[in-house]
Amino acid sequence: MAESISSRPAVELAANLEKGLLDDRQYRVIKLPNQLEALLIHDADTDKASAAMDVNVGSFSDSADMPGIAHAVEHALFMGTKKYPGENEYASYLTKYGGSSNAYTAETSTNYYFEVSASSTSNSPGTSANSSRSVLPVSKENSPLYGALDRFSQFFVNPLFDADTLDRELRAVDSENKKNLQSDNWRMLQLGRSMASKTHPYNRFATGNYDTLHDKPLARGVKIRDEFIGFYKRNYSANRMKLVLLGRESLDELEKWVCDLFSDVEDQNLPQNRWDGISIYEDKMLGSEVFVKPVMDKRSLELVFPYPDEDKLYASKPGHYISHLLGHEGPGSILAYIKAKGWANSLSSGAHGMCPGSALFYVTVNLTEEGLKSYREVVKVFFQYVALLKEGKPQGWIVDEMKKLNEVKFKYQQKAPASRTTSYLSAVMQQPFPRDQLLSAQILIREFNPQAIETGLKAIDPDNFMLTVVSKEYPGDWPLKEQWYGTEYKTADLPAEYREELRAIAAGKGGAKISELHLPGKNEFVPQRLDVEKKEVLKPTTTPKLIRNDANVRTWWKKDDQFWVPKANIHLCLRNPITNVSPFTTLMTTFFKELVDDSLAEYTYDADLAGLSYGLGAPTVGLDVHIGGYNDKAAVLLERVLVSMRDLEVKDDRFAIIKERMTRNLRNFEWSEPFRQAGAYSRWLSQARGWTMFELLEELPSITAADVRAWYPQILRQMHIEMLVQGNLYKEDALQLTSLVEKTLNPRRLPPSQWQPKRAVVLPKGADYRWSRTLANPENINHCIDYILHVGLTSDREQRAKLLLLSQILDEPVFDTLRTKQQLGYVVGSHAVIYNTVQGFRVIIQSERDCGYLEGRIEAFLTEFEATLATMAQDEFEKHRVGLINKRLEKLKNLEQEADRLWFHISGETFDFDLVSRDVEHIEPLTHADILAFFREYFLPTSPS
């Protein structure tokens, strides 16, 4: 029996949270006597339970002489507690119940989260243990959530900080940092930090490395473990913690668990971390320009403005209004103008709250070659648009339009995966939102506040910004090196006359105005028809209906019968084998795709803002088109996309810009992270036909705009149309959309004998192949091995079931042995892989160690694991088997997930829509002996097969 309300050791802060129309969950916000706040979420139908804790301490709380300690403490909390001292106890428990965990350290918070199966018994309909699973309560002794929560809570009650495991985690932090040393995103982020004022914590090195966390502190006489414990005790306090718990259990039961497990978290009544009145950048940096040499061949312009902290202005969101207009991509926008001038490919903008008391407003422009030469002209255009905004008053109709779009978004918001929900909401709880608006305050705009908009615009000023130019060519000399990543850069003051010119432009006195710049028009894609015909459905169908199947077209249709949102997905495969015959045809098809995207950018931006998007892809079998979002105007967007494809005008200037961009992207691939390169090469090696980046690069220079003009009609001249219409559309709608596609493109029939099948390379038993390539970047200290064991065809259901179960069993031991204990590298993982028609098991490691050594460690692990598997207790094996079954049976969370699953089976021509059920049927009878025999045949290094 649940406790009476009066006897609760917690105070209820909110019970009736503002929620969307589709949200069937129950919520309650409580505060424990130790001031820890918790949001409880009851979801009777969830098959995954989850919890997340957000602690109001992050890298901004690092001491100046031990940068990275907040991040390292995050790592250390996973390595054992007084109640559960085993360093892999937490991870091992989660894995057995089909779960996982992670954490991240931000500037002012550290966020820990996990998810686990909601049930310890099989959710399979054919299992006797599965009866009324959504109705009957689960005792805490049998609840995977309670067991996980018990282990999780100890992070915040009594972590061990064991000296031995702590040292290994410091090496993991060091490996994580080394993984990022050649990443331009990390290098740019740290350069921005390093140039910040030393009086602001933004200036610090947030990741940390072995030198900052071990060697230098030791040299100063610091006791490392004591320092970590001290940081934890100084900063981790219950009143700074926000917990979110999601499960099938009732709110009363969840509350009882929270009170039982988290009441012992110590409360020090610490104040919120704030940095009011401290400028992120000193005055000398404002009005300067910084030139940065990147690792990859890229060109960009970034403007950074110190900006007011708007955390308490959540009801009006003035920064959203400003970024909406400065970052607009439609007619009259900054981007539309500088793109027409041939200066830019994209532009983004937005305000980012760095911490309570400080914010920055970013504007980033990806430049063309001409744009790099004219970057100061781009800045002039930007400030002319700012002047336009300042001259006119903030527009109420624009806020009303944004308000309506956000209301629709919130009203029809669908469920996200459990751990994403809890992690996100625990971070939201750190915001100053009313507790009954935790679900809505981040989304809804409730007020029009012109004064706050004008205050925000005052910060977008020529005397209040720093300009950064990123290029490998310009200016050619970068005499300075950033301390932590070694990024080469140069700083200079903007010329006085140029700053005066910008001031005049921003004040509306800078000469002739650019007539092409103006406010956007009303968004014609704002959805009007949002009606959904909801029916009682005993069980949603898993298979779409084939409603048309003739020589030209195959149309599949599935009416939404479980999510009830006014949305739809339209997937098209325009099947034509000529698109991937050679590197030349592959590049020509890519040019076509890029040019169509380029031509549609202004038109489709409003649709995207209104929750309706399109995508154009170039897989190996033809062209893919996808329309997704609110169904009201989906047909309008589809027709415009198809007409743009059919009537494409290949302009010489845009072709040249796209060709140069494609060349850089192909070259940059060899400078990407080694584990990403290894994955791409593995996919290429598995394909019956595919082309490497270097083969494409060899062909690219010869292609001209005239080639593309002559080529693309051949793609559309003859094809087979495969189509999926899914969501809030009826059969008649699907057939009309099919006719629209057919009439617009009017292709000739493509006989089935000419369809390009998706095939993969099948390796002979006992094969042992190696493919290697030297990294192009000599500064990258990492190696990577992608170790793949092929175990047969995907059509062998029994083999597939064994592979999935063994992958589940191996997941945690691979990580614990090769990453946690042996410290081979930060990137360590394993999982089952599918390459079209073949399946296998993959171990990937990125490390400072060479690949030969890594291969030896993988094979030693597999050899030793035979004994572990052979002696595995039956109950442990059963937990893995049930955990996998429940993971496979996990419900789809939203319409998009269902569409992706259906399209996967249709586009691959497997039509195996009941794959999940078939998997479960073959997993259920598997025995310990079956898996051991399978391991010995396919995984054991000494096996002849």
Side-chain angles (χ1 to χ4, degrees):
M1 182 175 177
E3 286 185 305
S4 66
I5 300 295
S6 60
S7 65
R8 286 181 190 157
V11 176
E12 183 178 289
L13 301 182
N16 298 311
L17 273 67
E18 184 177 23
K19 61 182 186 178
L21 184 67
L22 305 174
D23 193 341
D24 59 0
R25 292 166 169 162
Q26 296 174 17
Y27 299 90
R28 181 186 294 163
V29 185
I30 61 172
K31 180 185 279 190
L32 302 188
N34 61 3
Q35 298 195 76
L36 186 149
E37 279 190 23
L39 168 61
L40 313 174
I41 307 174
H42 165 64
D43 187 339
D45 292 323
T46 190
D47 33 34
K48 277 287 174 72
S50 176
M53 180 75 87
D54 194 276
V55 188
N56 178 217
V57 58
S59 62
F60 280 11
S61 297
D62 288 350
S63 56
D65 60 356
M66 209 162 174
I69 189 170
H71 177 217
V73 165
E74 170 226 302
H75 276 247
L77 292 197
F78 285 82
M79 293 293 104
T81 61
K82 184 176 181 180
K83 186 173 181 181
Y84 296 103
E87 65 181 53
N88 67 329
E89 163 66 31
Y90 174 63
S92 178
Y93 179 90
L94 294 177
T95 302
K96 288 171 191 173
Y97 291 106
S100 61
S101 68
N102 212 334
Y104 66 83
T105 303
E107 285 85 357
T108 61
S109 70
T110 307
N111 192 283
Y112 304 84
Y113 56 94
F114 73 82
E115 70 176 23
V116 71
S117 177
S119 173
S120 60
T121 58
S122 173
N123 291 336
S124 171
T127 303
S128 60
N130 177 56
S131 60
S132 304
R133 66 180 178 90
S134 297
V135 179
L136 295 177
V138 179
S139 67
K140 67 181 184 182
E141 292 78 11
N142 295 319
S143 168
L145 174 58
Y146 186 86
L149 198 64
D150 187 17
R151 289 159 175 79
F152 183 64
S153 66
Q154 295 304 303
F155 286 22
F156 314 102
V157 176
N158 208 336
L160 285 179
F161 292 105
D162 177 77
D164 188 40
T165 58
L166 181 58
D167 185 72
R168 279 192 268 118
E169 279 310 299
L170 293 185
R171 295 188 184 279
V173 170
D174 189 65
S175 180
E176 181 179 356
N177 178 61
K178 287 174 177 173
K179 172 183 75 74
N180 300 328
L181 288 178
Q182 294 299 305
S183 164
D184 280 319
N185 288 339
W186 282 96
R187 292 163 73 91
M188 285 295 298
L189 175 64
Q190 186 58 50
L191 180 61
R193 291 174 182 270
S194 295
M195 290 189 297
S197 168
K198 287 182 168 47
T199 62
H200 198 284
Y202 186 61
N203 174 259
R204 292 172 191 159
F205 172 43
T207 307
N209 58 33
Y210 201 72
D211 188 46
T212 67
L213 295 167
H214 183 271
D215 291 348
K216 285 182 177 175
L218 271 186
R220 296 194 304 268
V222 172
K223 294 181 179 179
I224 305 299
R225 180 173 181 268
D226 290 350
E227 191 66 25
F228 272 67
I229 293 172
F231 180 90
Y232 179 87
K233 288 184 174 179
R234 288 192 303 273
N235 292 285
Y236 276 61
S237 173
N239 74 303
R240 284 182 169 178
M241 297 182 185
K242 310 298 180 186
L243 174 71
V244 179
L245 180 59
L246 184 157
R248 283 185 196 164
E249 293 76 12
S250 69
L251 292 176
D252 287 346
E253 186 72 8
L254 294 175
E255 180 174 328
K256 186 176 185 306
W257 291 1
V258 169
C259 293
D260 288 347
L261 298 174
F262 290 88
S263 291
D264 289 338
V265 178
E266 184 181 356
D267 176 33
Q268 303 181 64
N269 198 30
L270 298 176
Q272 182 197 36
N273 283 315
R274 295 194 63 86
W275 289 269
D276 297 296
I278 306 175
S279 299
I280 293 181
Y281 288 107
E282 295 176 358
D283 290 345
K284 66 180 181 181
M285 288 306 300
L286 302 178
S288 67
E289 55 183 351
V290 182
F291 301 96
V292 184
K293 183 181 181 182
V295 174
M296 291 190 178
D297 189 2
K298 55 173 61 177
R299 292 183 295 268
S300 66
L301 167 70
E302 183 177 80
L303 313 180
V304 181
F305 301 83
Y307 189 79
D309 175 13
E310 295 180 340
D311 274 0
K312 294 181 180 179
L313 299 176
Y314 57 85
S316 56
K317 299 178 175 58
H320 287 212
Y321 176 93
I322 297 169
S323 63
H324 169 69
L325 295 175
L326 294 180
H328 209 280
E329 299 179 15
S333 66
I334 298 170
L335 179 61
Y337 180 80
I338 59 178
K339 192 174 173 183
K341 297 287 284 185
W343 292 342
N345 290 310
S346 65
L347 180 151
S348 62
S349 72
H352 299 272
M354 308 311 296
C355 59
S358 303
L360 295 172
F361 194 99
Y362 289 92
V363 179
T364 303
V365 183
N366 286 320
L367 298 170
T368 63
E369 286 182 298
E370 288 303 312
L372 179 62
K373 298 173 186 175
S374 307
Y375 75 90
R376 287 185 178 169
E377 294 302 310
V378 173
V379 178
K380 289 182 187 178
V381 174
F382 171 80
F383 278 111
Q384 185 152 149
Y385 197 92
V386 170
L388 183 153
L389 297 184
K390 290 182 177 180
E391 286 169 7
K393 292 183 178 180
Q395 301 294 301
W397 73 266
I398 294 177
V399 174
D400 287 342
E401 187 175 271
M402 294 171 65
K403 182 179 178 182
K404 180 174 182 179
L405 289 173
N406 286 17
E407 285 173 353
V408 171
K409 177 182 178 181
F410 179 69
K411 187 176 181 180
Y412 295 104
Q413 197 170 35
Q414 299 175 81
K415 288 182 181 178
S419 60
R420 193 186 309 167
T421 298
T422 57
S423 176
Y424 165 74
L425 288 174
S426 64
V428 166
M429 289 178 73
Q430 298 287 3
Q431 299 297 316
F433 301 153
R435 301 295 92 173
D436 61 351
Q437 294 180 23
L438 288 176
L439 307 177
S440 58
Q442 199 89 326
I443 300 172
L444 296 180
I445 298 175
R446 303 174 192 274
E447 300 171 0
F448 173 42
N449 188 340
Q451 293 78 22
I453 293 172
E454 289 170 350
T455 299
L457 280 171
K458 285 179 183 176
I460 313 301
D461 186 89
D463 288 319
N464 187 50
F465 83 110
M466 186 169 69
L467 181 157
T468 301
V469 176
V470 179
S471 167
K472 292 192 88 160
E473 298 98 30
Y474 184 81
D477 63 317
W478 303 270
L480 304 175
K481 269 196 174 185
E482 192 275 325
Q483 177 183 1
W484 302 107
Y485 286 77
T487 305
E488 297 177 58
Y489 70 103
K490 175 181 181 178
T491 62
D493 291 333
L494 283 167
E497 62 274 17
Y498 180 65
R499 292 188 70 178
E500 282 300 322
E501 191 176 0
L502 293 181
R503 291 187 187 105
I505 291 170
K509 302 172 183 176
K513 294 183 179 180
I514 301 172
S515 61
E516 292 92 336
L517 296 179
H518 55 79
L519 292 177
K522 292 188 183 296
N523 190 335
E524 300 301 325
F525 280 97
V526 175
Q528 306 298 326
R529 293 186 302 111
L530 295 165
D531 49 304
V532 177
E533 183 187 6
K534 186 173 181 179
K535 297 179 179 179
E536 288 297 323
V537 177
L538 290 176
K539 184 180 179 182
T541 58
T542 57
T543 304
K545 293 181 178 178
L546 185 58
I547 59 173
R548 181 173 166 185
N549 186 13
D550 54 40
N552 295 322
V553 178
R554 194 159 58 193
T555 300
W556 304 83
W557 165 73
K558 184 179 185 297
K559 179 75 171 67
D560 177 25
D561 56 1
Q562 59 180 316
F563 303 109
W564 313 115
V565 286
K567 294 184 176 184
N569 287 284
I570 304 165
H571 280 280
L572 276 174
C573 176
L574 309 179
R575 190 175 280 113
N576 189 327
I578 67 171
T579 58
N580 190 46
V581 170
S582 66
F584 175 78
T585 63
T586 299
L587 286 167
M588 296 285 275
T589 306
T590 304
F591 267 116
F592 175 58
K593 172 212 169 311
E594 293 290 333
L595 286 161
V596 171
D597 284 341
D598 191 66
S599 70
L600 282 167
E602 286 187 35
Y603 175 81
T604 58
Y605 186 72
D606 272 349
D608 194 54
L609 287 176
L612 181 63
S613 62
Y614 93 99
L616 182 60
T620 58
V621 296
L623 287 168
D624 272 2
V625 181
H626 172 239
I627 306 290
Y630 296 106
N631 57 274
D632 181 25
K633 297 182 173 68
V636 175
L637 181 58
L638 175 63
E639 182 173 20
R640 180 60 179 264
V641 171
L642 294 173
V643 169
S644 297
M645 292 169 64
R646 184 194 66 194
D647 300 338
L648 176 67
E649 180 186 354
V650 180
K651 299 177 180 178
D652 289 342
D653 58 340
R654 296 310 301 170
F655 171 83
I657 288 170
I658 289 169
K659 182 176 181 179
E660 191 275 334
R661 187 175 72 209
M662 284 173 57
T663 302
R664 279 190 295 119
N665 288 343
L666 288 171
R667 285 177 180 156
N668 283 338
F669 169 77
E670 284 209 283
W671 294 75
S672 62
E673 293 165 301
F675 76 92
R676 300 190 190 281
Q677 294 187 48
Y681 289 131
S682 293
R683 289 190 294 275
W684 165 66
L685 289 165
S686 74
Q687 294 173 347
R689 177 191 293 163
W691 317 110
T692 62
M693 302 298 175
F694 13 100
E695 288 173 305
L696 297 173
L697 265 174
E698 187 178 348
E699 192 68 47
L700 184 58
S702 67
I703 296 176
T704 65
D707 291 331
V708 179
R709 289 189 195 100
W711 166 257
Y712 87 79
Q714 305 306 314
I715 305 176
L716 304 179
R717 177 175 173 269
Q718 184 179 23
M719 68 178 70
H720 176 263
I721 299 169
E722 186 97 58
M723 190 166 182
L724 168 66
V725 179
Q726 171 256 10
N728 191 38
L729 292 170
Y730 291 92
K731 180 179 178 180
E732 295 74 19
D733 299 320
L735 291 171
Q736 288 174 11
L737 289 166
T738 305
S739 297
L740 171 66
V741 175
E742 201 172 18
K743 289 176 182 176
T744 305
L745 298 179
N746 193 28
R748 290 183 58 235
R749 169 180 175 265
L750 182 73
S753 60
Q754 296 181 35
W755 298 6
Q756 180 68 36
K758 287 189 176 180
R759 299 191 297 173
V761 175
V762 179
L763 300 181
K765 276 195 172 187
D768 186 9
Y769 294 117
R770 287 168 180 78
W771 188 89
S772 61
R773 185 168 177 83
T774 302
L775 290 173
N777 183 358
E779 300 298 317
N780 199 319
I781 62 175
N782 295 296
H783 305 80
C784 184
I785 183 171
D786 200 0
Y787 184 95
I788 300 171
L789 298 168
H790 283 234
V791 296
L793 303 178
T794 56
S795 55
D796 187 333
R797 294 194 188 276
E798 184 178 351
Q799 202 84 319
R800 174 182 163 87
K802 291 176 182 177
L803 173 64
L804 293 174
L805 182 50
L806 185 52
S807 297
Q808 150 104 2
I809 293 169
L810 281 166
D811 180 66
E812 191 277 333
V814 166
F815 187 85
D816 182 57
T817 302
L818 302 180
R819 203 274 212 174
T820 304
K821 290 187 172 71
Q822 298 185 16
Q823 287 293 309
L824 296 181
Y826 181 75
V827 178
V828 176
S830 67
H831 55 88
V833 289
I834 305 294
Y835 294 125
N836 289 333
T837 56
V838 300
Q839 58 192 358
F841 178 78
R842 174 195 200 202
V843 179
I844 189 160
I845 304 175
Q846 181 174 294
S847 172
E848 292 177 67
R849 305 280 197 140
D850 66 73
C851 292
Y853 179 81
L854 298 176
E855 182 179 8
R857 298 319 306 153
I858 293 170
E859 297 202 336
F861 164 77
L862 292 172
T863 300
E864 293 166 7
F865 190 75
E866 181 189 15
T868 304
L869 185 59
T871 57
M872 178 177 284
Q874 185 60 31
D875 66 329
E876 185 176 357
F877 176 80
E878 280 301 304
K879 287 174 182 176
H880 279 295
R881 192 178 64 83
V882 171
L884 176 62
I885 288 172
N886 290 346
K887 188 187 291 187
R888 291 298 294 139
L889 290 172
E890 187 176 344
K891 293 178 181 177
L892 297 165
K893 299 295 185 295
N894 50 59
L895 194 73
E896 291 70 36
Q897 283 188 357
E898 182 186 62
D900 289 344
R901 178 181 286 185
L902 296 176
W903 188 241
F904 172 79
H905 295 302
I906 292 169
S907 61
E909 290 195 90
T910 59
F911 311 115
D912 198 1
F913 302 111
D914 288 319
L915 175 63
V916 168
S917 298
R918 302 292 83 78
D919 280 346
V920 171
E921 287 173 5
H922 286 82
I923 294 167
E924 284 183 324
L926 290 177
T927 65
H928 184 201
D930 292 333
I931 297 303
L932 183 57
F934 179 71
F935 176 86
R936 285 171 171 163
E937 181 176 0
Y938 290 99
F939 285 63
L940 198 60
T942 55
S943 169
S945 60

